[in-house]
Amino acid sequence: MPPLAAVEGIAELKAIEKGIQPDSGAAFVAPHGDIPRPNVTIGGHRQQCEASILVALVVRSYVDGTGTDGLVLMDGYVAAVWAALVGWTPDPALYPPLNYAGMMGSTLGDAGDYWLISRWTTTRFITGG
């Protein structure tokens, strides 16, 4: 499993506008928002929310036209992201461990550039009154 080239916040993707391309294996993390569930308590408030983050991973491979090298790199980088995030929690007192919630891929930019976007979820509770 190759190590990730970098792990950055999503704001660092702004550098692409200036022509600075991230290295293959760079990962960018972004908050994705909350999906609230209905409050089911009477006389108070305890509402569950699913909180999620996105991880954008760039894979660059220009070795061959078949894409085989890119697929091998992709598998390794995905394994590195999974190794870092499976079972991780931002705060054990507030959140259970992250769950893998799927991945999409897209070619962006030059031929040989491939982006994988994975979604990771956890839950939290909003309480009050």
Side-chain angles (χ1 to χ4, degrees), residues 61-72 111-112:
S61 176
Y62 309 105
V63 174
D64 62 45
T66 66
T68 302
D69 182 66
L71 290 174
V72 170

Side-chain angles (χ1 to χ4, degrees), residues 40-65:
V40 293
T41 59
I42 298 172
H45 191 89
R46 187 170 196 275
Q47 183 177 11
Q48 184 180 27
C49 288
E50 177 186 271
S52 62
I53 61 169
L54 299 177
V55 177
L57 179 62
V58 64
V59 179
R60 290 208 156 95
S61 176
Y62 309 105
V63 174
D64 62 45

